[in-house]
Amino acid sequence: MQQEKLNLTRTPIQLFSKRLTHIKYSQLIINDLLDNKDVGNFHEKKRYLLESYIINLVASWQVFIEELLKFGLDKIIEKTNLSPVAIKILESNYDINIKRFNTPNTSNIDQTFKTVLGIEKITNDINISGMQLDALKSKVNQLLEIRHKIAHTGNSGQELEIETNFDFMKHLMTVGEQLEDIVIRKI
């Protein structure tokens, strides 16, 4: 009897989840500051930590999307009998598109999945119970707009809250789980 090889490789969503556990510390520091009544410039420190959370959240999201694309590409290569030249072309296409992929909003995600994996409008296949597709995409894009404003002006331009940031994180995790399922299903 041949024993099946145990695969301990983490999937992109598992890696994303692990990254998210690290960025929670910027919000936990706020709680520590609240416990210390003598903190000077509390509101500025809180704003900075909440904005840092957004920047790290979007960076983790972008890495997740890149890893999911690579995961999908590896599955295609694994399941097909491609020549070494064809594999090199697919990997080169991946590399070129990842270098161009610098804003992980829904339209850029759709475009990159189409050009790298041949999956058309992947974000249209996401389905979160009780949420319209437009609202689902809008929430992802809203987060990207906040990150963009922070990155280019040094300020979000709005009052961020721990709960709002946490809600963005949960949303990305749910969307990420579904994107990974879609890639697995379509490849």
Side-chain angles (χ1 to χ4, degrees):
M1 173 164 63
Q2 188 176 6
Q3 225 176 12
E4 192 174 315
K5 187 177 175 183
L6 182 61
N7 183 357
L8 298 176
T9 305
R10 290 185 173 170
T11 66
I13 198 65
Q14 290 168 327
L15 295 170
F16 182 49
S17 178
K18 181 76 171 166
R19 275 188 213 92
L20 294 179
T21 64
H22 294 293
I23 66 171
K24 71 179 177 194
Y25 290 106
S26 41
Q27 297 196 154
L28 292 174
I29 294 168
I30 293 169
N31 293 335
D32 293 343
L33 292 173
L34 285 169
D35 291 342
N36 183 351
K37 304 295 181 203
D38 298 326
V39 174
N41 299 317
F42 171 76
H43 292 290
E44 283 300 307
K45 291 174 182 175
K46 177 183 173 187
R47 181 186 63 80
Y48 179 80
L49 289 167
L50 291 171
E51 289 175 350
S52 296
Y53 181 92
I54 294 290
I55 289 171
N56 285 306
L57 179 59
V58 172
S60 295
W61 175 243
Q62 180 162 340
V63 169
F64 164 72
I65 296 297
E66 293 170 2
E67 289 174 345
L68 184 57
L69 286 159
K70 182 69 169 112
F71 174 82
L73 179 62
D74 289 347
K75 291 293 179 198
I76 289 170
I77 292 169
E78 187 181 293
K79 289 182 173 189
T80 57
N81 190 17
L82 297 173
S83 72
V85 171
I87 291 170
K88 189 72 175 163
I89 290 168
L90 289 174
E91 289 173 340
S92 178
N93 181 48
Y94 166 82
D95 291 339
I96 289 166
N97 281 284
I98 289 303
K99 286 178 184 164
R100 292 182 193 151
F101 183 68
N102 58 14
T103 303
N105 61 31
T106 57
S107 66
N108 289 346
I109 289 170
D110 284 342
Q111 180 60 41
T112 305
F113 274 83
K114 179 182 175 186
T115 57
V116 173
L117 300 179
I119 300 174
E120 298 268 347
K121 299 185 180 185
I122 191 169
T123 61
N124 285 354
D125 290 340
I126 299 168
N127 184 1
I128 297 177
S129 180
M131 191 171 212
Q132 295 291 324
L133 183 60
D134 287 345
L136 181 148
K137 288 182 176 189
S138 178
K139 189 164 187 166
V140 172
N141 295 334
Q142 177 189 11
L143 172 63
L144 271 288
E145 290 169 15
I146 294 169
R147 192 271 320 168
H148 181 79
K149 182 126 175 138
I150 295 167
H152 295 283
T153 67
N155 188 312
S156 67
Q158 65 188 68
E159 187 76 26
L160 297 173
E161 295 296 332
I162 291 174
E163 297 79 17
T164 306
N165 282 5
F166 186 73
D167 192 45
F168 278 128
M169 183 274 303
K170 286 191 315 186
H171 185 70
L172 287 185
M173 190 67 194
T174 302
V175 170
E177 289 169 343
Q178 290 208 11
L179 287 174
E180 184 172 282
D181 288 344
I182 293 164
V183 167
I184 290 168
R185 194 173 62 247
K186 291 198 176 213
I187 290 185

